[in-house]
């Protein structure tokens, strides 16, 4: 990349907020748009840029499990607990980065998932001549003062701009500015902290794609925009296990009492294995055996939920959304009906999808074939996924 400053560049994602204005049952940074968590999209944009050496995250109190689920197999350079304010959270993140200090840092809001690489290029290039740079957009709407819903005087737009993130700084300079902060009101961004410390901050052109997701309507609009670039994919999975000595079977993540067990290298959960293969089929990424070879002793007796989560993470990493799972279990016994809703709930929990997207049925082969003779059990799964056009 041209005009890249010498040294190491780190990125810090600030994800400590509660996101209450967006509604829902979790902070907006962990909500999914196009099948991928908002924060994961921001992470991917920063991690993919060739000038950035590591992506660090500040997480809110009690949000560690949400972050882990949102990131899947992504691995931040550091994860730091946030503070009571945004400024305290940024300070905590910078202090964590300072253990192995970079030369420059980009500080980014987790709720801005669509980050064009060209904006990162402009910010980094600006740091050659200034200790700080922020992306901005011009204000195009008419501005007025409002008093009790009554319109007041028009405010001139001259010299006004909308400030976005990421905001880029020379690392030692912004760390010192945060350490020395003495303002009476909490700053709303890091450029304010930098300016109070006497640092010059340059504006570079931002991008409308960087607008912050604040309200539920923003998330809905973002999801709809992504949906226009998605295609539907269908995967099929089939699995068979023979009966062996035992007193239970593992089926869809549940321990079901039975006069026999299912034989297999893992826990032989025929239902989860079929769904796992179906998910892998939607992204054309082999089968369960290619990811978890039976010859590998690590998987002896393994919980098949591990396999299913792995497949779901791979689908999510490619931007996929699981729309529906339809599983058919084929056996004479045990009876599936009494456990069907619990199985649906367990599969939904493993995959992080609403239970309404999981269908589980059972059938027999009218005592024909190996299942009809009670020699084993089979399962067939069909999964529908929406994913970006390849």
């Amino acid at each position: 990349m041209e005009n890249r400053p010498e040294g190491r560049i780190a990125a810090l994602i600030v994800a400590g907020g509660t996101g209450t204005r967006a509604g829902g049952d979790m902070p907006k940074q962990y909500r999914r748009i196009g099948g991928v968590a908002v924060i994961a999209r921001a992470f991917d944009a920063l991690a993919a840029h060739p000038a950035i050496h590591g992506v660090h995250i500040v997480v809110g109190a009690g949000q560690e499990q949400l972050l882990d689920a949102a990131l899947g197999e992504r691995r931040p350079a550091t994860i730091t607990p946030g503070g009571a304010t945004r400024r305290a959270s940024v300070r905590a993140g910078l202090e964590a980065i300072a253990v192995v200090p970079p030369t420059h840092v980009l500080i980014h809001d987790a709720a801005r998932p669509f980050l064009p690489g060209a904006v990162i290029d402009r910010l980094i290039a600006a740091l050659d001549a200034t200790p700080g740079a922020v992306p901005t957009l011009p204000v195009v709407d008419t501005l007025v003062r409002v008093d009790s819903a009554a319109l007041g005087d028009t405010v001139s737009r001259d010299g006004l701009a909308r400030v976005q993130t990421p905001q880029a700084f020379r690392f030692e300079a912004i760390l010192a500015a945060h350490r020395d902060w003495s303002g009476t009101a909490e700053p709303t961004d890091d450029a304010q902290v930098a300016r109070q410390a006497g640092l010059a901050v340059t504006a570079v052109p931002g991008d409308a794609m960087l607008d912050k997701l604040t309200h539920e309507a923003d998330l809905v609009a973002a999801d709809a925009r992504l949906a226009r670039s998605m295609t539907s994919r269908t995967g099929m999975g089939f699995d068979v296990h023979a009966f062996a000595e035992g007193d239970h079977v593992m089926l869809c993540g549940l321990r079901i009492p039975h006069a026999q067990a299912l034989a297999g290298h893992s826990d032989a959960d025929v239902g989860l294995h079929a769904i796992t293969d179906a998910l892998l089929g939607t992204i054309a990424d082999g089968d369960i055996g290619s990811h978890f070879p039976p010859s590998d002793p690590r998987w002896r007796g393994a919980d098949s939920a591990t396999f299913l989560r792995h497949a779901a993470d791979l689908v999510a990493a490619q931007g996929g959304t699981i729309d529906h799972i339809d599983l058919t279990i084929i056996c004479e016994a045990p009876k599936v009906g009494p456990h069907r809703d619990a199985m649906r709930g367990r599969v939904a929990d493993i995959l992080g999808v609403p239970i309404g997207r999981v269908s589980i049925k059972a059938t027999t082969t009218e005592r024909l074939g190996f299942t009809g003779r009670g020699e084993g059990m089979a399962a067939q799964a069909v999964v529908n996924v929406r994913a970006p056009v390849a």
Side-chain angles (χ1 to χ4, degrees), residues 7 35 41 46 49 73 86 89 122 192 223 249 261 266 277 287 292 296 327 354 359 364 369 388:
R41 289 187 178 276
L46 290 163
H49 196 280
E73 296 187 344
R86 184 188 186 281
S89 293
R122 291 193 285 270
Q192 290 177 255
D223 200 48
V249 295
S266 64
D277 269 351
D287 58 22
F292 303 95
D296 190 333
L327 175 70
S359 169
T364 71

Side-chain angles (χ1 to χ4, degrees), residues 86-114:
R86 184 188 186 281
R87 178 178 59 84
S89 293
V90 174
R91 166 79 183 273
L94 293 175
E95 295 288 0
I97 296 173
V99 174
V100 183
T103 53
H104 303 80
V105 64
L106 274 65
I107 304 172
H108 188 50
D109 292 336
R112 300 180 192 266
F114 305 119

Side-chain angles (χ1 to χ4, degrees), residues 265-322:
H265 188 66
S266 64
D267 64 6
D269 191 323
V270 69
L272 295 191
H273 290 184
I275 299 172
T276 299
D277 269 351
L279 279 172
L280 292 172
T282 66
I283 56 173
D285 196 359
D287 58 22
I288 194 170
S290 60
H291 290 263
F292 303 95
S295 58
D296 190 333
R298 287 182 298 169
W299 313 123
R300 187 177 302 279
D303 181 353
S304 294
T306 301
F307 307 159
L308 186 55
R309 288 193 190 96
H310 174 76
D313 286 344
L314 292 177
V315 170
Q318 293 195 22
T321 299
I322 300 172

Side-chain angles (χ1 to χ4, degrees), residues 200-347:
V201 179
T202 296
V204 303
D207 194 297
M209 292 292 291
L210 264 175
D211 283 350
K212 193 173 184 178
L213 304 184
T214 302
H215 303 286
E216 177 69 22
D218 300 331
L219 291 160
V220 171
D223 200 48
R225 182 167 63 246
L226 288 167
R228 290 193 289 270
S229 63
M230 306 283 268
T231 186
S232 179
R233 302 183 187 183
T234 300
M236 298 183 66
F238 182 78
D239 195 54
V240 173
H241 284 282
F243 283 124
E245 291 185 6
D247 60 2
H248 72 279
V249 295
M250 292 301 299
L251 199 52
C252 295
L254 298 183
R255 181 186 176 103
I256 307 298
H258 188 54
Q260 293 175 294
L262 288 172
H265 188 66
S266 64
D267 64 6
D269 191 323
V270 69
L272 295 191
H273 290 184
I275 299 172
T276 299
D277 269 351
L279 279 172
L280 292 172
T282 66
I283 56 173
D285 196 359
D287 58 22
I288 194 170
S290 60
H291 290 263
F292 303 95
S295 58
D296 190 333
R298 287 182 298 169
W299 313 123
R300 187 177 302 279
D303 181 353
S304 294
T306 301
F307 307 159
L308 186 55
R309 288 193 190 96
H310 174 76
D313 286 344
L314 292 177
V315 170
Q318 293 195 22
T321 299
I322 300 172
D323 278 338
H324 194 71
I325 302 105
D326 186 20
L327 175 70
T328 301
I329 299 168
I330 307 165
C331 64
E332 295 293 331
K335 295 295 184 183
V336 170
H339 309 284
R340 178 182 288 111
D341 287 342
M343 290 178 181
R344 294 176 62 220
R346 177 62 179 145
V347 171

Side-chain angles (χ1 to χ4, degrees), residues 139-232:
V139 176
V140 295
D141 294 321
T142 296
L143 301 177
V144 298
R145 300 188 186 280
V146 178
D147 183 11
S148 300
L151 294 186
D153 295 337
T154 300
V155 178
S156 173
R157 293 174 298 190
D158 293 343
L160 297 182
R162 292 194 291 128
V163 176
Q164 301 177 311
T165 73
Q167 299 184 353
F169 304 94
R170 295 174 187 168
F171 181 76
E172 294 296 341
I174 193 62
L175 176 61
H178 269 277
R179 286 173 173 173
D180 294 340
W181 171 262
S182 60
T184 55
E186 283 295 324
T188 58
D189 71 352
D190 300 287
Q192 290 177 255
V193 178
R195 292 197 306 276
Q196 184 197 259
L199 301 176
V201 179
T202 296
V204 303
D207 194 297
M209 292 292 291
L210 264 175
D211 283 350
K212 193 173 184 178
L213 304 184
T214 302
H215 303 286
E216 177 69 22
D218 300 331
L219 291 160
V220 171
D223 200 48
R225 182 167 63 246
L226 288 167
R228 290 193 289 270
S229 63
M230 306 283 268
T231 186
S232 179

